[in-house]
């Protein structure tokens, strides 16, 4: 999969992560989108590195999608913990 494929996957994974974890984010939709892209890269890297799952060249690979969505969720939760002020809203 090319870098453009990973960016598109990250955008979609960020949207799915936002649907699964609704609420206010300090960065708004743009920040959530960037977190989704970073989560796709992070999830793919962690999957390849620690789960011994090679990165697939197929855009429609379910394991790649799960890794990207999982990475996006982890980064979104970490972002909210570090930078979110949900108690003051």
């Amino acid at each position: 999969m090319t870098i453009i494929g990973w960016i598109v996957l990250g955008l979609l994974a960020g949207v799915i992560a936002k649907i699964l974890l609704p609420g206010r984010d300090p960065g708004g939709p743009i920040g959530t989108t960037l977190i989704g892209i970073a989560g796709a890269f992070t999830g793919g890297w962690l999957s390849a590195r620690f789960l011994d799952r090679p990165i697939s060249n197929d855009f429609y690979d379910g394991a790649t999608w799960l890794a990207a969505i999982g990475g996006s969720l982890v980064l979104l939760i970490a972002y909210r913990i570090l930078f979110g002020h949900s108690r003051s809203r």
Side-chain angles (χ1 to χ4, degrees), residues 1-88:
M1 188 164 25
T2 65
I3 190 78
I4 301 298
W6 276 102
I7 291 173
V8 170
L9 177 64
L11 290 171
L12 295 173
V15 168
I16 293 170
K18 181 67 176 169
I19 290 170
L20 293 175
L21 196 64
R24 294 182 132 186
D25 293 320
I30 294 174
T32 303
T33 302
L34 294 175
I35 288 173
I37 294 169
F41 284 106
T42 304
W45 179 77
L46 289 172
S47 175
R49 178 80 175 160
F50 297 110
L51 299 178
D52 197 30
R53 170 85 170 105
I55 297 172
S56 174
N57 287 332
D58 187 20
F59 184 77
Y60 299 106
D61 182 41
T64 302
W65 277 88
L66 288 176
I69 294 169
S72 297
L73 282 170
V74 168
L75 288 183
L76 186 59
I77 291 169
Y79 183 68
R80 286 183 181 178
I81 289 172
L82 293 174
F83 299 108
H85 301 292
S86 62
R87 294 183 187 194
S88 64

